[in-house]
Amino acid sequence: MARTVWDSTVGKKTVMAISGLVMLLYLVAHMIGNLKIFFGTEEFNHYAHWLRTVGEPFMHYEWTLWLIRVVLVVAVVAHAVSAYQLSRRDIRARPSKYVHRKKRADYATRTMRWGGVILGLFIVWHILDLTTGTVHPGGFESGKPYQNVVDTFSTWYGNAVYIAAVLALGLHIRHGFWSAAQTLGAGSRTRDRALKTTANVLALLLTTGFVAVPVGVMTGVVS
């Protein structure tokens, strides 16, 4: 049954919608945590340490954090694979372009596809920068996330990569939230306007919240 559901277009769209909502919940929590940087070094570093001790003593050190990471990896892979396969299926279904194209639909689709690619590449860069320190500018200091964040956003390319990715994320959420609601059966004539408004508000809040950190560093509010 699971294979039958996965092979169907509806099944892939459902997987894509659910995995997208899982990632959206994480992004909201992640943004709130990021904003703690405006309360100072001690507050932000303490928050980073708390993430590794959540659930103790029942959970061992970092077990909860690794559980969250595993769930996120599964969600990202499921989302990307289902999106790619749906895209290929759509291309095979209409090998020749329509004479009359729906411009808004095509624009949204192109934005989602390229936005997904940009976000995928950004996730890799973000991990290598602030988790492993592989591409981190200056000296990466384990256990000192506040200083590491300041180092990253003290460079022009760190700001450029991050802000470009966040803008892509905003567009992705704006269309993706409404699309997921339709796939999961939450959409209707009476609710469509509210769903689109919610999508716009979420996209705006997340974009503003994430961009606030590099802007804070650039303006000297965070230093």
Side-chain angles (χ1 to χ4, degrees):
M1 182 180 291
R3 182 57 186 268
T4 301
V5 171
W6 171 249
D7 286 341
S8 68
T9 298
V10 173
K12 292 183 189 298
K13 286 184 176 181
T14 301
V15 170
M16 193 173 176
I18 293 174
S19 59
L21 292 176
V22 169
M23 290 186 287
L24 179 60
L25 288 174
Y26 166 77
L27 286 169
V28 171
H30 187 44
M31 179 201 69
I32 294 172
N34 281 0
L35 293 177
K36 287 181 175 292
I37 201 168
F38 289 100
F39 294 94
T41 307
E42 185 176 347
E43 178 85 10
F44 192 69
N45 288 346
H46 176 71
Y47 161 69
H49 175 72
W50 172 81
L51 288 175
R52 289 158 174 76
T53 60
V54 174
E56 288 187 343
F58 178 74
M59 298 290 281
H60 192 62
Y61 182 75
E62 286 195 344
W63 277 13
T64 302
L65 182 59
W66 274 106
L67 180 61
I68 293 171
R69 286 169 175 169
V70 169
V71 171
L72 283 173
V73 168
V74 171
V76 169
V77 171
H79 197 76
V81 170
S82 55
Y84 174 77
Q85 292 184 355
L86 284 169
S87 176
R88 300 304 302 173
R89 184 170 293 185
D90 182 54
I91 291 172
R92 287 195 301 268
R94 50 187 183 110
S96 58
K97 295 182 178 180
Y98 292 131
V99 175
H100 300 289
R101 300 197 311 173
K102 296 180 180 180
K103 293 183 178 180
R104 289 186 64 184
D106 286 351
Y107 173 75
T109 301
R110 289 197 302 271
T111 300
M112 290 295 285
R113 288 173 181 170
W114 284 109
V117 172
I118 291 171
L119 291 172
L121 294 173
F122 170 73
I123 289 172
V124 175
W125 179 85
H126 197 50
I127 291 172
L128 293 175
D129 178 26
L130 292 174
T131 302
T132 66
T134 307
V135 299
H136 185 74
F140 180 81
E141 298 182 75
S142 181
K144 295 184 178 180
Y146 184 96
Q147 188 57 49
N148 293 333
V149 169
V150 171
D151 288 344
T152 290
F153 297 129
S154 295
T155 63
W156 68 267
Y157 59 86
N159 289 309
V161 170
Y162 190 87
I163 292 175
V166 169
L167 293 176
L169 174 67
L171 290 174
H172 206 75
I173 291 172
R174 183 174 178 270
H175 178 69
F177 180 83
W178 181 83
S179 181
Q182 303 303 309
T183 298
L184 298 176
S188 68
R189 286 187 176 181
T190 56
R191 289 195 291 264
D192 272 0
R193 186 172 181 178
L195 287 170
K196 288 181 178 179
T197 300
T198 302
N200 290 335
V201 170
L202 276 172
L204 180 61
L205 285 176
L206 285 167
T207 301
T208 303
F210 280 117
V211 168
V213 178
V215 170
V217 175
M218 285 189 288
T219 57
V221 175
V222 176
S223 62

